[in-house]
Amino acid sequence: MRSPYIWRGVMFLVVMGIGQSAAYGQPGADPSPARIEKGKKVFVKLCAGCHGAEGKGDGYKLLGADPANLTASATKKKSDAVLLNTIHEGKSSMPSWNVRLSEQDSRDVLAYVRTLSK
Ligand code: HEC
């Protein structure tokens, strides 16, 4: 028997899914301290090696581009969207990770990076 209720259920899930992806990470929303704390953990684990513990770009250097000084005004001026893209996708000698950071981890780590330049 084919029940129309199944399709209602599917539609419900689809709509919820779209709603969620639109709702999360609203631009301009202040990241909570918990998110920043989480971002710090990601940073120390994955980013500090190149960008330095304080994000000043003084970690080890590989061949190619120097790790960006994340506290510089050049970085500060860039939009979340641009920086998130770099964090999420990588850029030149900055890796995009074997397993890419999740959207949420990228946002958390960016929230932390933003605190470094204050
Ligand atoms: C293997 C070294 C390396 C690691 C690890 C690394 N980066 Fe980078 N990162 C770079 C390099 C090199 C650049 C400069 C790329 C360029 O401009 O071509 C860069 C650029 C950036 C930028 C762009 C700055 C700007 O002004 O456009 C951001 C943001 C950034 N990194 C954040 C992170 C975060 C967050 C992590 C950890 C998840 C991380 N990086 C890990 C090497 C690294």
Side-chain angles (χ1 to χ4, degrees):
M1 187 182 88
R2 273 183 153 235
S3 158
Y5 291 109
I6 289 179
W7 294 109
R8 272 193 217 171
V10 169
M11 281 309 293
F12 177 76
L13 289 176
V14 168
V15 169
M16 289 299 286
I18 292 168
Q20 269 210 328
S21 53
Y24 111 68
Q26 299 277 337
D30 254 351
S32 68
R35 299 249 68 104
I36 292 172
E37 200 42 46
K38 179 117 191 302
K40 182 176 180 180
K41 290 209 181 97
V42 175
F43 190 87
V44 168
K45 202 160 79 180
L46 299 177
C47 323
C50 289
H51 288 285
E54 280 158 15
K56 297 209 171 92
D58 53 359
Y60 56 74
K61 299 186 196 312
L62 302 177
L63 292 176
D66 285 350
N69 174 355
L70 300 177
T71 66
S73 61
T75 298
K76 213 168 158 183
K77 274 188 271 184
K78 288 179 188 153
S79 70
D80 283 3
V82 166
L83 296 179
L84 275 175
N85 192 56
T86 301
I87 294 170
H88 199 61
E89 308 288 333
K91 187 181 171 192
S92 67
S93 45
M94 169 151 156
S96 63
W97 319 112
N98 298 339
V99 178
R100 282 190 191 160
L101 284 180
S102 72
E103 217 27 66
Q104 187 63 61
D105 282 348
S106 302
R107 281 181 193 284
D108 291 350
V109 80
L110 177 61
Y112 177 68
V113 164
R114 292 277 191 214
T115 68
L116 295 173
S117 60
K118 276 180 193 150

